[in-house]
Amino acid sequence: MGNRQGAGRTWVRPRLLIWLAVAMVALTAPSREIRAGARLKPLDRHAVVLNGALVGSAFEIAEGLAVTNRHVVQGLRPGAHVTLLASGHSHATATAELLATSPRLDLAVLAVPSGFLPMVPADPARAASGLRVIAAGIDAREGPTGPRFETEGVVLEPSAEIAAFGPGLIARLPGGRPGFSGGPLFDEEGRLVGMVTALRPARAPGDSGTEAYALRAAVVRAEVDRLLAGGFRSGG
């Protein structure tokens, strides 16, 4: 796709709906959008991020390390804390520390309690046109305790770059919603394809769905290692 910043319809960071902070209550049961019996359980690897009144997503990329989008933790400096709500069966709650944010990618790294979430597989998926993918996220319009979703899509462009976000890919993701920012994108074998970063209306004539821009998995891992090389462990 080349550099598409400013071209076509505008990409929108999907966590930009703002909600008032609420007291912690039991999470609602996840709402599934994948076929019954599918092997993947992306929501077991997904957490909701609460940064004050902002709602986004995160996942654990290495033991004790989670990642989200930089714009989800906007206004915070390293050492600040956010609340994470696990979307899997545990419904666990944790406090995460912001370790670092990237100056060149829409990426932030969080320290989380060991075992809070199952880690994503270390072996990334190879993105290719037509690859079927599944994203995990929350509908922020319902607030931090709103429904969670596993939404199927397909890769349209496996190599794309937007200066505001970083090297990524574009997938058709009809069920993408505000709140998916920072959430994982998997292939059907459960391997990480990337991190959902921005949404826009689909460009195909007559298509009322949504397209997602995702940072590629290998790019995310490499940047985490680079950011934490100056003193924090980088995971593996």
Side-chain angles (χ1 to χ4, degrees):
M1 147 175 147
N3 189 330
R4 298 179 77 109
Q5 186 174 16
R9 298 186 181 180
T10 302
W11 290 101
V12 178
R13 293 180 171 95
R15 72 96 194 91
L16 289 181
L17 291 183
I18 297 179
W19 290 85
L20 295 177
V22 297
M24 292 302 172
V25 296
L27 299 182
T28 58
S31 175
R32 300 284 175 136
E33 289 195 348
I34 58 175
R35 60 189 180 279
R39 290 184 299 162
L40 294 178
K41 295 182 178 179
L43 281 175
D44 290 335
R45 299 170 182 159
H46 173 271
V48 176
V49 181
L50 302 182
N51 172 18
L54 305 181
V55 178
S57 296
F59 58 94
E60 191 164 336
I61 198 165
E63 183 67 30
L65 292 176
V67 288
T68 186
N69 285 143
R70 184 182 63 214
H71 70 261
V72 171
V73 294
Q74 68 180 30
L76 301 182
R77 293 178 174 271
H81 294 86
V82 294
T83 298
L84 299 185
L85 310 176
S87 295
H89 296 299
S90 73
H91 289 181
T93 301
T95 298
E97 179 186 354
L98 177 61
L99 296 181
T101 58
S102 171
R104 57 186 181 179
L105 304 182
D106 195 349
L107 176 69
V109 185
L110 306 170
V112 297
S114 179
F116 173 63
L117 293 173
M119 290 182 293
V120 299
D123 183 24
R126 182 179 179 275
S129 296
L131 178 71
R132 296 186 66 82
V133 292
I134 303 173
I138 180 174
D139 191 338
R141 293 169 295 192
E142 300 293 332
T145 58
R148 276 66 163 155
F149 295 92
E150 291 179 355
T151 301
E152 289 189 349
V154 62
V155 172
L156 299 176
E157 299 184 41
S159 182
E161 184 161 0
I162 300 177
F165 305 122
L169 60 91
I170 297 174
R172 186 177 185 277
L173 197 67
R177 294 165 166 83
F180 272 55
S181 270
L185 185 70
F186 297 103
D187 70 3
E188 290 186 307
E189 300 302 317
R191 294 170 298 199
L192 185 67
V193 177
M195 173 194 286
V196 177
T197 301
L199 300 176
R200 72 178 179 188
R203 296 176 299 154
D207 189 345
S208 59
T210 300
E211 292 179 358
Y213 188 82
L215 296 176
R216 293 196 297 272
V219 171
V220 171
R221 287 190 181 276
E223 187 69 356
V224 169
D225 286 345
R226 191 191 72 80
L227 288 171
L228 302 186
F232 297 106
R233 60 187 175 86
S234 62

